[in-house]
Amino acid sequence: MGRLSVDLCGITLDNPVIPASGTFGYGYEFAGLYDINCLGTFSFKGTTRHPRFGNPTPRIAEAPAGMLNSVGLQNPGVEKVISEELPKLKKCFRKPVMANVSGFSVEDYAYTCALLDKEEQVGWLEVNVSCPNVHGGGMSFGTDPKAAAQVVRAVKAVTKKPVILKLTPNVTDIVSVALACQEAGADGLSLINTLLGMRLDLRTRKPILANTMGGLSGPAVFPVALRMVYQVAGAVSIPVVGMGGVSSAADVIEMMLAGAAAVEVGAANLTDPFACKKIIDDLPAEMDKYGIERLSDIIGGGHAWEKT
Amino acid sequence: MTVAENKPLTREVYRMVLKGDVSAFTAPGQFLNLKLEGRFLRRPISLCDLGEDSAAIIYKVVGQGTAQMAAMQPGEKLDVLTGLGNGYDLADAGEAPLLIGGGVGVPPMYLLAKRLRAQGKAVHALLGFNKASEIFYEEEFRALGCTVTIATADGSYGVRGFVTDALPKSYSYYYCCGPEPMLRAVYKTAKGSGQLSFEKRMGCGFGACMGCSCKTITGYKRICKEGPVLRKEEIAWED
Ligand SMILES: Cc1cc2nc3c(=O)[nH]c(=O)nc-3n(C[C@H](O)[C@H](O)[C@H](O)COP(=O)(O)OP(=O)(O)OC[C@H]3O[C@@H](n4cnc5c(N)ncnc54)[C@H](O)[C@@H]3O)c2cc1C
Ligand SMILES: Cc1cc2nc3c(=O)[nH]c(=O)nc-3n(C[C@H](O)[C@H](O)[C@H](O)COP(=O)(O)O)c2cc1C
Ligand code: FES
C-alpha cells in the first residue's frame, strides 16, 4: 500500500483519482495519450439497456469556470458495451473499472446491472439516478428518496459487486436521499452529478443548448459539491466518492477532508486530456505541503473541528 | 506553442501563425484546439497552412475568445491540442477538383489547395464572402496556381450571390467548408460527389465527451474525431 492508496468498498485503489463518467468515454481515447493504468480506476460512459443517440446538438455550452452539457446518455447499449467496448478496454487497462449505469425504469437498472455483474473487469457498479438530461428517468429517481431506494434494492438483488449510487445535487435535501440509499443497502455513494442550468444566445434570443437546459460542471461547482460531500459524509457510514469541479491535487485533498474516500474528476479531462495524470503526479508534493503522510488518513478530517 | 504572427486580414478576420510541434497533423481539414486564459472550453480552429514547425490559422472575431485571440502579441504562449479530426481525403480528388469555401470556411481550403497543386491537379477555388471588404486570400489561392472564382452575397465583387450561384460547369470532385446553410445548399446543388466539413460546439475536441455527435448513414459519428469531414454519401441531415 502506497501513500496514495485508498480502499473503495473493499477494493484497493492505487490512488483516489477516478475520471468521472461521461468525460472519459470507455477509456481508449485517453489510452492513446498516456498509460491509463496510473489511474485509481475510471468510471465509463453512462450505459443504458438500449442504445441511445442522446439529445440533438448543440449539446455543449460554456459557462464561467465551467460548462453545460446535454449529451443525454449517448451510448451503444449494454450488450455492445460488453461485446465491443470491454474487450477493447481490457487491452489497455488492467484494473477493475467502474461501470456507470443509467435507466428509465427500475427494471432497466436491474437488467443492465445484471449483465454487467457477469463482467470480470467491472469492479463497482455506479448507478446514476441523477442524469438531468433525460426525460422520464435518470434524475427523477434521484430526487425522491423512495424511488432511489427502490433502484438500490433492485440492483442489489442482481449483483454481488459493490453498488455505488450516484446522487444529484438538484434536490433540497441530499442527505435524506443519501440515507435512503444507505438504508436500502447501497455500498457507497458518489456525488455530485451536474447542476441543472441554461444559457441563452444573445443574437438569436434562444437557448444555446438544443435541449434548452443542461448540466453545469467544472470548477464553478466545486464549493457546492464540497458542501454536499461534507453533509452526506457526515451523515452516512458508507464510503462517499466526491466529485464536482475537481481540477487539482489540492482539490482532491479538500474533497477527502470533506469526507470523500475517493475523488472523481470530470470536466477537467475535457479541457486537458492529461488532467488526471497531472493530479496524480502532483499529489505527493501537495501532501507534503500539508504534512499528510498517507491520503487514507485524512478522509473526513475536515469534520474533526466540529467536535472541539 | 508560441504566437509568431497575428495580423488582421480584414476588419474582423485575423491570421495567426503558431510555432511549435506540428507533427500530429496528417491532413488538410484537420483542426487545432486552443486554450485561452480565463475561458473554460478550448476554441476549435481549422488548420490553414502548415510549415515544418509552424501552423497558420485564420479566425473571425465572433465572441469573447476570438476577441482575446485578436489581442495576442507575438511571443505569447498558447496551450494547443493539434492534429484533431480526420481531415480531407485527397485520394478522391480526380484531375480537376473544385474547392468551395465560405467565410471562415475558406482557410482549410488553402492547405488542401496547396497539397492538390503539389500533386499537379487543376484546382478551382470557389470562395464566397458577404461583401468585397470581407474578402481574404484571393491572391494567395492565385499564387498557388488555382483558378479562383469569388462570389459575394451583395454583389460588391465577383459573382453576385452565393457559391451555389457560381458553380463551374465541370469539375472532377468537390471539397466544401462553410456555414451550415451553405453546406446544405452545396449538398443539394453541386453535382457529383464530394466531401463536406462540419462545425459543432465541442466539449473536448478529441472524442471523449460525445458533445459533437451527429447521425450519418453509416452510424453515429463524432464531428471532432470521425469528422469534421464527412463524405456526401454518408450525410444524413437531421431535419
Ligand atoms: C472543427 C471546427 C473548425 C473551425 N474552424 C474555424 C476557423 O478556421 N476559423 C474561424 O474563424 N472559426 C472556426 N470555427 C469556429 C470557431 O470555433 C468559433 O468561432 C469560436 O469557437 C468562437 O469562440 P468565441 O469565444 O469567440 O465565441 P463565443 O460565442 O464567446 O464562444 C462560446 C462557446 O461557444 C463555442 N462556439 C461559438 N461559436 C462556435 C462555432 N461556430 N462552432 C463551434 N463552436 C462555437 C466556443 O468554442 C465556446 O465554447 C471552427 C469550429 C469548428 C468546430
Ligand atoms: C460531457 C459530460 C457527460 C457526462 N455524462 C455522464 C454520464 O453519462 N453519467 C454520469 O453519471 N455522469 C455524467 N456526467 C457527470 C460527471 O460524471 C460528473 O458527475 C460531473 O460532471 C461533475 O464533475 P466535474 O465538475 O468534475 O465535471 C457527465 C458530465 C459531462 C461534463
Ligand atoms: S467534442 Fe467531445 S467528443 Fe467531440
Side-chain angles (χ1 to χ4, degrees), chain B residues 98-122:
Chain B
L98 173 64
L99 276 49
I100 311 168
V104 283
V106 169
M109 290 301 151
Y110 180 74
L111 183 61
L112 178 60
K114 201 174 182 179
R115 292 280 164 87
L116 289 168
R117 287 294 299 143
Q119 296 178 0
K121 313 277 179 176

Side-chain angles (χ1 to χ4, degrees), chain A:
Chain A
M1 297 268 287
R3 286 180 79 191
L4 304 187
S5 69
V6 293
D7 177 90
L8 183 57
C9 305
I11 303 173
T12 302
L13 302 178
D14 293 336
N15 63 69
V17 179
I18 306 173
S21 179
T23 64
F24 215 72
Y26 292 92
Y28 29 82
E29 263 72 39
F30 291 84
L33 298 170
Y34 64 88
D35 181 2
I36 61 173
N37 287 297
C38 71
L39 303 167
T41 176
F42 76 91
S43 179
F44 65 51
K45 177 63 193 168
T47 295
T48 51
R49 179 173 187 168
H50 302 293
R52 286 177 57 81
F53 174 66
N55 290 320
T57 54
R59 297 176 175 180
I60 303 287
E62 198 173 46
M67 63 182 284
L68 296 171
N69 90 83
S70 59
V71 170
L73 297 172
Q74 179 175 352
N75 79 94
V78 65
E79 261 119 42
K80 270 227 168 95
V81 166
I82 288 171
S83 65
E84 288 175 19
E85 309 291 339
L86 290 182
K88 273 199 264 177
L89 175 63
K90 207 171 185 164
K91 293 193 191 121
C92 53
F93 193 57
R94 56 171 185 271
K95 297 182 176 182
V97 70
M98 193 179 282
N100 186 282
V101 172
S102 241
F104 296 85
S105 66
V106 173
E107 295 73 47
D108 273 4
Y109 281 106
Y111 179 90
T112 309
C113 288
L115 290 185
L116 287 166
D117 175 67
K118 300 196 188 73
E119 292 306 306
E120 202 190 325
Q121 196 169 10
V122 172
W124 310 258
L125 291 164
E126 184 180 50
V127 179
N128 175 10
V129 288
S130 46
C131 184
N133 293 323
V134 294
H135 299 285
M139 197 169 86
S140 53
F141 290 101
T143 52
D144 172 7
K146 284 201 198 76
Q150 241 187 319
V151 174
V152 176
R153 281 191 292 269
V155 171
K156 283 296 288 179
V158 299
T159 183
K160 294 218 156 48
K161 298 192 196 277
V163 172
I164 296 173
L165 263 282
K166 183 161 175 182
L167 306 182
T168 174
N170 301 309
V171 290
T172 38
D173 180 11
I174 195 164
V175 170
S176 65
V177 185
L179 287 171
C181 291
Q182 172 173 267
E183 215 163 283
D187 302 286
L189 300 167
S190 66
L191 60 142
I192 58 173
N193 207 314
T194 54
L195 284 146
L196 201 56
M198 100 182 244
R199 298 298 305 267
L200 290 169
D201 184 320
L202 300 191
R203 288 189 187 92
T204 62
R205 303 187 177 181
K206 288 183 190 157
I208 290 178
L209 298 171
N211 198 43
T212 309
M213 294 177 219
L216 175 66
S217 65
V221 310
F222 183 73
V224 177
L226 190 93
R227 181 266 293 178
M228 289 187 158
V229 168
Y230 187 91
Q231 287 179 311
V232 168
V236 300
S237 53
I238 51 179
V240 173
V241 181
M243 81 189 91
V246 172
S247 47
S248 67
D251 294 345
V252 169
I253 291 173
E254 198 171 336
M255 269 293 178
M256 294 185 78
L257 286 171
V263 174
E264 292 188 35
V265 178
N269 296 302
L270 305 181
T271 58
D272 178 2
F274 298 95
C276 282
K277 182 176 164 37
K278 285 182 192 159
I279 291 173
I280 294 164
D281 291 345
D282 288 350
L283 266 170
E286 199 66 23
M287 289 160 66
D288 291 344
K289 254 196 221 169
Y290 303 102
I292 300 164
E293 188 44 49
R294 302 164 61 88
L295 268 186
S296 55
D297 296 341
I298 66 160
I299 299 166
H303 291 263
W305 67 273
E306 294 165 15
K307 297 176 192 87
T308 57

Side-chain angles (χ1 to χ4, degrees), chain A residues 22 29 60 270, chain B residues 31 33 200-213 221-225:
Chain A
E29 263 72 39
I60 303 287
L270 305 181
Chain B
F31 63 98
N33 217 354
K200 291 266 187 208
R201 298 217 173 210
M202 293 182 172
C204 66
F206 54 89
C209 74
M210 299 293 158
C212 64
S213 295
K221 296 205 165 177
R222 294 164 293 185
I223 287 300
C224 72
K225 188 89 183 178

Side-chain angles (χ1 to χ4, degrees), chain B residues 135-205:
Chain B
I135 296 170
F136 60 86
Y137 260 48
E138 180 181 3
E139 284 318 309
E140 282 78 356
F141 277 91
R142 284 196 207 287
L144 292 177
C146 302
T147 305
V148 180
T149 306
I150 306 275
T152 52
D154 71 349
S156 51
Y157 190 95
V159 178
R160 175 189 294 268
F162 301 112
V163 288
T164 42
D165 297 312
L167 287 167
K169 281 205 186 63
S170 78
Y171 49 86
S172 51
Y173 192 76
Y174 71 79
Y175 296 93
C176 180
C177 184
E180 189 161 316
M182 182 185 121
L183 298 182
R184 283 175 188 261
V186 168
Y187 174 90
K188 271 207 209 121
T189 322
K191 58 183 176 7
S193 186
Q195 293 169 28
L196 299 91
S197 181
F198 286 76
E199 243 180 32
K200 291 266 187 208
R201 298 217 173 210
M202 293 182 172
C204 66

